[in-house]
Amino acid sequence: MSTSKHHKIRLRVAFGTSVDLPSNYQVIDLEEEEGYEAPDPSDVVFQLSLDIGIEGSNKTDIFQCVIATERNRRLVEKEPYVIVLKEYRYDAFRKAILNIIKSCEAETWYDCLSCLRRHFLWEYEGMYREEDLKKMN
């Protein structure tokens, strides 16, 4: 009996951006181990955009969310896509984002997209019916 091996699509973050951060940190390279550190790690809230695509491809889609510390959770309670950190430290932020992206790797782009859309607002949200998205796979 032969079994076919299924391979997951590997996702990558080309880069992130946030105009809410100081100017020299507005472009975020999650491959870098150092990045923005907040003056008060318990008092952070910022909008984050991520260009996410399939590893090996130059094509990416934009996904957005808000990053907030527990202290600021009430400020963003009406936002649908929020990643809450106990305290903001770049390494914890980076690890949280990369873990989410890794957890969304799947056998098809549609399955990756379905998972990513649970965590982030997709730039094309509402433009396609689910059955049409499945066909684009």
Side-chain angles (χ1 to χ4, degrees):
M1 176 166 94
S2 70
T3 59
S4 64
K5 292 191 175 193
H6 298 282
H7 297 284
K8 286 186 176 182
I9 292 173
R10 292 182 50 113
L11 298 174
R12 70 176 182 84
V13 179
F15 62 91
T17 58
S18 179
V19 296
D20 298 330
L21 298 179
S23 61
N24 52 330
Y25 294 106
Q26 289 182 352
V27 175
I28 303 162
D29 182 350
L30 292 173
E31 292 186 17
E32 293 292 324
E33 294 187 20
E34 294 182 8
Y36 174 70
E37 296 293 350
D40 180 350
S42 68
D43 186 18
V44 172
V45 61
F46 63 90
Q47 184 277 334
L48 175 67
S49 293
L50 296 167
D51 281 46
I52 301 172
I54 297 172
E55 193 172 272
S57 169
N58 289 329
K59 296 178 183 177
T60 60
D61 288 359
I62 300 169
F63 296 86
Q64 296 179 327
C65 69
V66 173
I67 303 296
T69 51
E70 287 181 1
R71 176 177 169 185
N72 290 323
R73 179 177 269 176
R74 299 189 90 205
L75 296 175
V76 294
E77 64 187 16
K78 293 185 181 184
E79 294 290 331
Y81 302 96
V82 180
I83 297 172
V84 178
L85 303 170
K86 183 174 182 171
E87 286 193 330
Y88 177 89
R89 301 254 186 250
Y90 178 77
D91 61 334
F93 155 74
R94 178 179 175 261
K95 185 176 182 178
I97 296 297
L98 293 176
N99 284 342
I100 290 169
I101 304 305
K102 179 87 173 146
S103 76
C104 291
E105 292 179 348
E107 291 181 25
T108 67
W109 172 245
Y110 176 77
D111 291 336
C112 293
L113 183 59
S114 294
C115 181
L116 289 166
R117 290 168 57 206
R118 288 194 294 266
H119 302 279
F120 307 103
L121 175 65
W122 181 42
E123 70 178 305
Y124 300 112
E125 195 64 48
M127 290 179 66
Y128 302 100
R129 297 179 319 186
E130 285 303 309
E131 50 271 13
D132 294 333
L133 286 174
K134 288 178 186 178
K135 290 176 188 173
M136 287 186 220
N137 209 6

